[in-house]
Amino acid sequence: MNNKYCPECGAILVEDYDDIIIEDEHGGYTIHDFEVWKCRKQCGFKVKKQ
């Protein structure tokens, strides 16, 4: 298994999802979700998967 490691704290990165919520000028919302690599120890590091 090829683990990826956090460049900030060295913990293993896990696959997760993140989202961005955008409000438009009419008061509506659009949600964009995408896959990320996220630090298992939750140090705050995350990067969008390619």
Side-chain angles (χ1 to χ4, degrees):
M1 182 173 187
N2 294 330
N3 290 330
K4 296 184 181 287
Y5 294 94
C6 177
E8 301 294 324
C9 71
I12 292 176
L13 296 177
V14 294
E15 295 178 74
D16 200 358
Y17 290 90
D18 203 357
D19 55 44
I20 299 172
I21 301 171
I22 301 170
E23 184 177 2
D24 65 23
E25 63 274 1
H26 304 292
Y29 293 94
T30 303
I31 300 173
H32 298 278
D33 61 337
F34 48 90
E35 291 181 290
V36 296
W37 287 105
K38 189 175 187 179
C39 179
R40 185 173 180 184
K41 289 189 177 180
Q42 300 177 349
C43 76
F45 179 82
K46 62 183 167 186
V47 64
K48 188 173 182 179
K49 285 180 74 173
Q50 297 293 340

